[in-house]
Amino acid sequence: MYFETFNQFKQQLRQLDSWFEKAEAYAKEKSFSPDLYLGFRLAPDQFGFARQVQIACDTAKLGASRLTGKEAPSHADTEKTLAELSERVKSTLAYLDTFTAQDFAGTAERVITQPRWEGKVMSGADFFLQHVVPNFFFHVSAAYSILRHNGVPVGKRDYLGPLNQHLP
Amino acid sequence: MYFETFNQFKQQLRQLDSWFEKAEAYAKEKSFSPDLYLGFRLAPDQFGFARQVQIACDTAKLGASRLTGKEAPSHADTEKTLAELSERVKSTLAYLDTFTAQDFAGTAERVITQPRWEGKVMSGADFFLQHVVPNFFFHVSAAYSILRHNGVPVGKRDYLGPLNQHLP
């Protein structure tokens, strides 16, 4: 289910990208610069909107990379405008588009580590379920909450996107 | 991976329950009633804290029930205190504790429907990935953001909980 979950991450990132248009329209209506969103936050000691989007992107990008061993493109975290942030999302989507189900063969048993873990490791299965999935949705939801709190008219449908519902 | 994901939902619900203690301590420090949290929200037209917790619980409970056909306990959504909300989380955890991996055999191909879908259906696999997982993390994260925005000292570790890291 790794590949299918990353497909869902792609859907969430496409939805996130669609919020930028609503945010820009709301900024225009209220006569403020849309680039101000990048610094908005819900608490003084919490990451602002730009960082939430960057981490959501990197959680998906580095998650896929570490779970498969496939090299990830680097991003400098220098976005200053809403347009640049949208490019960041699109670049992450383009990277995720390169994966196939085969890339995730053996992922569950892979040994994952990160510099900050001080030599400790996690299995691919644990890393995915305990770290990648919760963090990805956390930062996408935080970005959503920051926009919602600041008046942007996003709703649950904008978060979920289309569901694969059909007549029986 | 259905059963393992619901195990992760249980971890997130235990973490959510642990935030209540921090919220109560903060309320005591600032001399306000901890039950006020239940009505706090991030936007006038967004659900408040109590509803976010109720929906997080129900997304896990009804998700597990619909994906397996196992009857779920009903909850009346009448919580008025932080203590009652904590009981709601614990009751959901007790229900999720009754599941085994075997309960999810055949889940991917199950046909899922809900009254509001007007006769349409989803496969168990799509319902799980497109609806249950994104919604669950969305409402847990919304509850977190409401507490964080209102001064409760919760951080990323309180969200994730313990990771299964070990020496190689």
Side-chain angles (χ1 to χ4, degrees):
Chain A
M1 210 181 283
Y2 297 99
F3 177 65
E4 289 77 7
T5 305
F6 277 97
N7 274 344
Q8 181 62 25
F9 286 1
K10 282 162 60 180
Q11 170 149 324
Q12 303 289 156
L13 289 175
R14 284 191 296 266
Q15 293 309 117
L16 190 162
D17 198 32
S18 77
W19 308 339
F20 293 173
E21 282 168 47
K22 292 200 169 197
E24 193 162 356
Y26 184 74
K28 195 170 179 184
E29 182 193 326
K30 297 286 182 181
S31 304
F32 65 88
S33 163
D35 300 334
L36 284 172
Y37 288 113
L38 278 72
F40 289 173
R41 56 187 71 209
L42 293 173
D45 59 343
Q46 195 184 19
F47 288 135
F49 181 72
R51 196 84 196 96
Q52 301 288 355
V53 172
Q54 289 163 349
I55 301 179
C57 288
D58 277 5
T59 303
K61 177 184 79 173
L62 298 174
S65 173
R66 292 188 174 120
L67 289 167
T68 60
K70 203 163 164 173
E71 204 178 341
S74 74
H75 291 93
D77 292 340
T78 51
E79 290 85 0
K80 295 270 178 285
T81 67
L82 207 57
E84 287 173 0
L85 216 50
S86 174
E87 284 309 309
R88 172 71 169 264
V89 176
K90 289 183 174 74
S91 164
T92 303
L93 280 165
Y95 172 65
L96 294 176
D97 276 340
T98 67
F99 285 82
T100 65
Q102 278 71 35
D103 288 324
F104 293 93
T107 279
E109 294 77 30
R110 227 181 153 85
V111 178
I112 312 283
T113 190
Q114 293 190 37
R116 71 173 78 167
W117 292 355
E118 299 171 343
K120 291 188 179 166
V121 300
M122 294 183 82
S123 72
D126 286 345
F127 175 69
F128 176 75
L129 274 173
Q130 298 178 5
H131 192 283
V132 177
V133 172
N135 272 327
F136 175 78
F137 285 107
F138 179 85
H139 292 288
V140 170
S141 297
Y144 174 98
S145 288
I146 291 171
L147 294 184
R148 184 82 190 259
H149 179 62
N150 284 287
V152 180
V154 285
K156 174 60 79 64
R157 267 166 204 269
D158 298 300
Y159 170 75
L160 284 182
L163 299 178
N164 188 16
Q165 294 176 337
H166 50 86
L167 291 172
Chain B
M1 209 180 285
Y2 297 100
F3 177 65
E4 289 78 7
T5 304
F6 277 96
N7 274 343
Q8 182 61 26
F9 286 1
K10 282 162 61 180
Q11 170 149 323
Q12 303 289 155
L13 290 174
R14 285 190 297 266
Q15 293 308 119
L16 189 161
D17 198 31
S18 77
W19 309 338
F20 293 172
E21 283 168 47
K22 293 201 168 196
E24 193 161 356
Y26 184 75
K28 197 171 179 184
E29 181 193 329
K30 298 286 182 184
S31 303
F32 65 88
S33 165
D35 300 334
L36 285 173
Y37 288 113
L38 280 72
F40 289 173
R41 56 187 72 210
L42 293 173
D45 58 343
Q46 195 183 17
F47 286 136
F49 181 72
R51 195 82 197 97
Q52 301 288 354
V53 172
Q54 290 163 348
I55 300 179
C57 288
D58 277 5
T59 303
K61 178 183 80 172
L62 298 174
S65 173
R66 291 188 174 122
L67 289 167
T68 61
K70 203 163 160 173
E71 204 178 343
S74 73
H75 291 93
D77 293 338
T78 50
E79 290 85 359
K80 295 268 177 286
T81 67
L82 207 56
E84 286 173 359
L85 216 48
S86 174
E87 284 309 309
R88 173 69 171 264
V89 176
K90 289 183 174 73
S91 164
T92 303
L93 279 166
Y95 172 65
L96 295 177
D97 276 341
T98 66
F99 285 83
T100 65
Q102 278 70 36
D103 289 324
F104 293 93
T107 279
E109 294 76 33
R110 228 180 151 86
V111 177
I112 312 284
T113 191
Q114 293 189 37
R116 72 172 78 167
W117 292 355
E118 299 171 343
K120 290 187 179 166
V121 301
M122 292 183 82
S123 72
D126 286 344
F127 175 68
F128 177 73
L129 275 173
Q130 299 177 4
H131 191 283
V132 177
V133 173
N135 272 326
F136 175 77
F137 286 105
F138 180 86
H139 292 288
V140 170
S141 298
Y144 174 98
S145 288
I146 291 171
L147 294 184
R148 183 84 188 258
H149 179 63
N150 284 288
V152 180
V154 286
K156 173 61 80 66
R157 268 165 204 271
D158 298 301
Y159 170 74
L160 284 182
L163 299 178
N164 189 17
Q165 294 177 338
H166 50 86
L167 290 170

